[in-house]
Amino acid sequence: MPKPNLFYAQSGGVTSVINASACGVIETARNHKDRIGKVYAGLNGIVGALQENLIDTSLESAATIAALRKTPAGAFGSCRYKLNSPADNQKEYDRLMEVFRAHNIRYFLYNGGGDSQDTAYKVSMFSLEKGFPVTCIGIPKTVDNDLPLTDNSPGFGSVAKYVAVSIREAGLDVASMCESSTRIFVMEVMGRHAGWIAGAAGLATEQAGDAPHIILFPEIAFNCDRFMRKVRSYVKKYGYCAIVVSEGARYRDGRFLADAGGKDAFGHVQLGGVAPCLANMIKDETGYKYHWAVADYLQRSARHIASATDVEQAYAVGKAAVEFALAGKNAVMPIIVRGKGKRYRWRIGEAKLSEVANIEKMMPRDFITRDGFHITDKAREYFSPLIVGEDTPRYVTGLPKYARLKKVLVEKHLKPW
Amino acid sequence: MPKPNLFYAQSGGVTSVINASACGVIETARNHKDRIGKVYAGLNGIVGALQENLIDTSLESAATIAALRKTPAGAFGSCRYKLNSPADNQKEYDRLMEVFRAHNIRYFLYNGGGDSQDTAYKVSMFSLEKGFPVTCIGIPKTVDNDLPLTDNSPGFGSVAKYVAVSIREAGLDVASMCESSTRIFVMEVMGRHAGWIAGAAGLATEQAGDAPHIILFPEIAFNCDRFMRKVRSYVKKYGYCAIVVSEGARYRDGRFLADAGGKDAFGHVQLGGVAPCLANMIKDETGYKYHWAVADYLQRSARHIASATDVEQAYAVGKAAVEFALAGKNAVMPIIVRGKGKRYRWRIGEAKLSEVANIEKMMPRDFITRDGFHITDKAREYFSPLIVGEDTPRYVTGLPKYARLKKVLVEKHLKPW
């Protein structure tokens, strides 16, 4: 009987280290050729399985796979595609089983956030019911850091490092200019529901007066008066005010700041982006000259400034996922467990997918200062080790050299989906 | 007679390497203690001279001065403040002379762009007329790369590296997501009048299909129909389209694609927000899902990804400025001269301030492809060596450690300005 194959797919918004997890999966599977046949990667995530677009990773060289560890984004393609429950759309699950059967796939490793862990869990249950048991292991990934049970999510540490470095640097810029020019700088960061990324930017503040002066979290309802008072007080004291705002910052009634639908002084509709929106509000209230930045995808793809700790953990959860599968575990996800001591240590633990699926971990209130505008020492203790270490990509003539895959598809056996 | 002192000031928008020039000035002056007394730095640029706010750099340790080489932004403060001609506002020039006399300042080193070189030139002429000759040396600095005579401007190579790295990374992100989500990514970069920075982003394209697919330059009038056809063709061919747009991109009639309305101290229109504007246009025309980023100050303060070549050149022009002054030169600016051979070499040359002042060097038309949407091989040859090499700052617990200065002011002798 041929050895069972492994199917790996990337899901949802990508990160600068999700390919490090892919590298961990593929390298570990290659070390167990006695028990695992080939690793197939879904072209564009789970959609690749439905469409029978399976990338044969065995055709990629060891050097290319190793280079994945230092390559941002989803090398095999990701997707925003959520499978409903089998009760609602059994056809999708039947199709998955059909593809898995046709290609002798007995391991399904799904690299994503909460939605994806939910899918992996459902596939696991469904495959058991159908008498074609597939071992389903989730691999955690999200810049949002909102997966439960794990101490942190791979992908987060690097975006955290990016935003903290960026606001430190831009803060120095504004400090240079504020005497006669820009006094306000607003940097928008990701995090629709939870303020983890915004909070991490607070690490840049080491002494009083360091940027960022103000952080706006989704967890704290925006109060315009209190905010403007704070802005004015910083400009008075330090000459400028550097602000980090989460894209999810909102009013008490739940409306996003960015969705306020405002118009600028010239009657132009504001074109999205909480940073320009907030900067305009400040301008209207105070008259201060402003600049703003929206890093958007730059923050989550910035492999050049990835956290070495994050890269190691991303690799480790990929490796552990294969090891879990080989150890006969099912419907579980490797997690990061933080040691108790003062010195940061971590190890791989295990969580049941049923307990992970669709639960968002919010930032604790005691990570945010009483006034709601910055982070506490407790938050610093949590965030700080996650951004430690630099894991520099290889540079060729000044630019990072990232992996280029062949992405050869396996021959199809089935009718098109 | 006490040794003459040197006054150094930073001017205009800062860069990630202007402090490397400051480091070059101060370290070189310290090596010539027989001929130069103290180096005073203007607190917030030339305004510091007018207000008699002179930072005594002799009180900063050698280690702090050395750390300036690896610190972004203007450590002494910069300003957007343009001196008019002496005929229009002689009081300012009289005041400068008064301050220089009071503090025995006989060397004036002005680190800035075209406007600043103009000021340095005027001060030089004025001081001669007034019988208190001050040696005036310009030090080139601008991310815009628009200074004439010099092959390139210190500050540009690092922003060039930042934008090329960023669009490469974000391009991989969009490529991962495009099957089921984002198909359009727009990154806005600086460059009010010339497309140097936008052009440098083109270095990220090494093979057909690599991001950026389209670059919009201020030099090429924006034609919406041609642009949209191009966008559609890339989405059809590669699944997505990554666009770099210069903040100065404009229509045939000269109107900017985005015009924030305000004007800065030099009367320049304050730009910002062309990325969301363009992304919306594409959405309206094609319906494609988009993301956009505006790096703004992040791009010019990103010392963590500075070009080693740029850092060396920034230091070298600072050093050369002091050496020029000591060699009895006046009203000149050190420039970067590129060697003729295939292998990139550079040396320091010299330009007269009278020939530098207020002239903007535009990007040659043959740097832009015929269709106006990308860069030519000739442009690549020019840009490529400027981003070579990494000059990594020192990291402490995951964050770059930048210089913190004491900035002790010299005792004032004069009435307030």
Side-chain angles (χ1 to χ4, degrees), chain B residues 331-398:
Chain B
V332 294
M333 177 183 89
I335 57 172
I336 311 293
V337 180
R338 188 183 289 233
K340 293 251 180 264
K342 262 209 159 176
R343 200 180 137 209
Y344 178 69
R345 286 172 200 279
W346 61 275
R347 62 175 178 80
I348 293 292
E350 178 183 335
K352 287 182 188 158
L353 288 182
S354 58
E355 292 172 4
V356 172
N358 288 322
I359 298 168
E360 276 179 344
K361 183 173 69 179
M362 306 309 282
M363 196 161 67
R365 181 59 184 85
D366 65 0
F367 272 30
I368 302 174
T369 51
R370 251 198 168 164
D371 70 2
F373 290 126
H374 218 290
I375 55 168
T376 58
D377 287 344
K378 192 173 175 189
R380 281 173 196 284
E381 274 169 41
Y382 170 78
F383 287 128
S384 188
L386 306 181
I387 69 164
V388 166
E390 291 67 54
D391 186 315
T392 312
R394 189 164 70 93
Y395 283 84
V396 176
T397 56

Side-chain angles (χ1 to χ4, degrees), chain A residues 45-79:
Chain A
I46 195 80
V47 171
L50 293 170
Q51 297 179 340
E52 206 189 354
N53 285 328
L54 308 177
I55 296 164
D56 185 350
T57 70
S58 73
L59 301 175
E60 309 288 349
S61 71
T64 299
I65 297 303
L68 278 180
R69 187 175 170 132
K70 289 183 176 279
T71 298
F76 305 104
S78 184
C79 68

Side-chain angles (χ1 to χ4, degrees), chain B residues 40-113:
Chain B
Y40 296 139
L43 178 67
N44 303 315
I46 194 81
V47 170
L50 293 171
Q51 297 177 339
E52 207 189 354
N53 285 327
L54 308 177
I55 296 165
D56 185 350
T57 69
S58 73
L59 301 175
E60 309 288 347
S61 71
T64 298
I65 298 303
L68 277 181
R69 187 175 170 131
K70 290 186 175 278
T71 299
F76 305 105
S78 184
C79 68
R80 293 207 181 275
Y81 185 90
K82 190 177 179 176
L83 270 70
N84 289 317
S85 67
D88 292 332
N89 197 349
Q90 194 181 320
K91 274 165 76 180
E92 285 179 334
Y93 290 82
D94 285 336
R95 172 67 177 187
L96 270 188
M97 290 305 116
E98 188 187 19
V99 172
F100 287 178
R101 246 184 236 274
H103 294 277
N104 191 30
I105 290 166
R106 289 289 189 150
Y107 303 108
F108 170 36
L109 271 53
Y110 205 23
N111 202 168

Side-chain angles (χ1 to χ4, degrees), chain A residues 156-374:
Chain A
F156 172 68
S158 294
V159 74
K161 188 178 182 103
Y162 176 93
V163 298
V165 169
S166 295
I167 194 63
R168 170 168 291 183
E169 293 180 331
L172 292 175
D173 190 312
V174 189
S176 316
M177 304 304 297
C178 66
E179 174 65 19
S180 58
S181 181
T182 308
R183 289 195 179 273
I184 303 295
F185 183 71
V186 181
M187 182 172 91
E188 174 177 332
V189 302
M190 287 180 157
R192 205 110 183 104
H193 304 296
W196 295 104
I197 297 176
L203 289 174
T205 310
E206 276 172 5
Q207 296 182 10
D210 287 353
H213 305 105
I214 298 177
I215 304 173
L216 296 180
F217 302 94
E219 288 87 349
I220 306 290
F222 180 72
N223 177 317
C224 193
D225 286 346
R226 288 189 59 235
F227 171 72
M228 292 299 171
R229 274 202 299 278
K230 204 85 183 169
V231 169
R232 284 178 203 273
S233 79
Y234 280 111
V235 171
K236 210 171 158 189
K237 196 162 180 187
Y238 301 112
Y240 73 110
C241 182
I243 299 152
V244 169
V245 58
S246 168
E247 60 177 338
R250 66 194 80 189
Y251 293 100
R252 190 163 297 280
D253 63 8
R255 271 181 313 137
F256 289 115
L257 261 65
D259 287 349
K263 290 184 176 183
D264 68 16
F266 304 92
H268 304 139
V269 176
Q270 282 307 133
L271 299 172
V274 58
C277 176
L278 194 67
N280 265 290
M281 261 191 236
I282 299 170
K283 172 83 176 174
D284 287 348
E285 280 282 329
T286 66
Y288 295 142
K289 192 177 172 219
Y290 63 78
H291 266 249
W292 53 267
V294 177
D296 193 66
Y297 281 178
L298 306 192
Q299 72 200 281
R300 72 178 201 192
S301 62
R303 183 60 183 80
H304 74 273
I305 185 78
S307 150
T309 304
D310 192 30
V311 174
E312 276 171 44
Q313 292 178 345
Y315 185 92
V317 291
K319 179 170 181 276
V322 175
E323 290 167 350
F324 282 6
L326 291 176
K329 296 176 195 255
N330 191 14
V332 294
M333 178 182 89
I335 56 172
I336 311 293
V337 180
R338 187 183 291 234
K340 295 251 180 263
K342 263 210 159 176
R343 199 178 137 207
Y344 179 67
R345 288 172 198 278
W346 60 275
R347 62 175 179 81
I348 294 293
E350 179 184 336
K352 288 182 188 159
L353 288 182
S354 59
E355 293 173 3
V356 171
N358 289 323
I359 297 167
E360 277 180 343
K361 184 174 69 178
M362 307 309 283
M363 197 162 67
R365 181 59 183 85
D366 65 1
F367 273 31
I368 302 173
T369 50
R370 250 195 169 169
D371 68 3
F373 290 125
H374 219 292

Side-chain angles (χ1 to χ4, degrees), chain A residues 10 12-15 43-44 47 51 71-81 160-162 164-182 184-185 187-188 190 203-208 210 264 266 268 271-274 276 283 289-298 300-305 384 387-390 392-393 395-404, chain B residues 12-15 43-44 47 51 71-75 77-81 161-162 164-182 185 187-188 190 203-204 206-207 210 259-265 270-273 276-278 280 289-298 300-305 384 387-390 392-393 395-404:
Chain A
Q10 302 180 320
V14 293
T15 79
L43 178 67
N44 302 315
V47 171
Q51 297 179 340
T71 298
F76 305 104
S78 184
C79 68
R80 293 207 181 274
Y81 186 89
K161 188 178 182 103
Y162 176 93
V165 169
S166 295
I167 194 63
R168 170 168 291 183
E169 293 180 331
L172 292 175
D173 190 312
V174 189
S176 316
M177 304 304 297
C178 66
E179 174 65 19
S180 58
S181 181
T182 308
I184 303 295
F185 183 71
M187 182 172 91
E188 174 177 332
M190 287 180 157
L203 289 174
T205 310
E206 276 172 5
Q207 296 182 10
D210 287 353
D264 68 16
F266 304 92
H268 304 139
L271 299 172
V274 58
K283 172 83 176 174
K289 192 177 172 219
Y290 63 78
H291 266 249
W292 53 267
V294 177
D296 193 66
Y297 281 178
L298 306 192
R300 72 178 201 192
S301 62
R303 183 60 183 80
H304 74 273
I305 185 78
S384 187
I387 69 164
V388 166
E390 292 66 55
T392 312
Y395 283 84
V396 177
T397 56
L399 287 173
K401 191 84 183 167
Y402 292 132
R404 287 188 193 268
Chain B
V14 293
T15 80
L43 178 67
N44 303 315
V47 170
Q51 297 177 339
T71 299
S78 184
C79 68
R80 293 207 181 275
Y81 185 90
K161 189 179 183 103
Y162 175 94
V165 169
S166 295
I167 194 63
R168 169 167 289 181
E169 293 178 332
L172 293 174
D173 190 312
V174 190
S176 317
M177 302 305 296
C178 66
E179 174 63 20
S180 57
S181 180
T182 308
F185 183 72
M187 182 172 91
E188 173 178 332
M190 288 179 159
L203 289 174
E206 275 171 5
Q207 296 182 12
D210 287 354
D259 183 349
K263 288 186 177 183
D264 70 13
Q270 194 192 340
L271 300 178
C277 176
L278 194 67
N280 266 285
K289 195 181 169 215
Y290 64 78
H291 266 250
W292 54 267
V294 177
D296 193 67
Y297 283 178
L298 306 192
R300 72 178 200 193
S301 61
R303 183 60 184 79
H304 73 274
I305 186 76
S384 188
I387 69 164
V388 166
E390 291 67 54
T392 312
Y395 283 84
V396 176
T397 56
L399 286 173
K401 191 84 182 167
Y402 292 133
R404 288 189 191 266

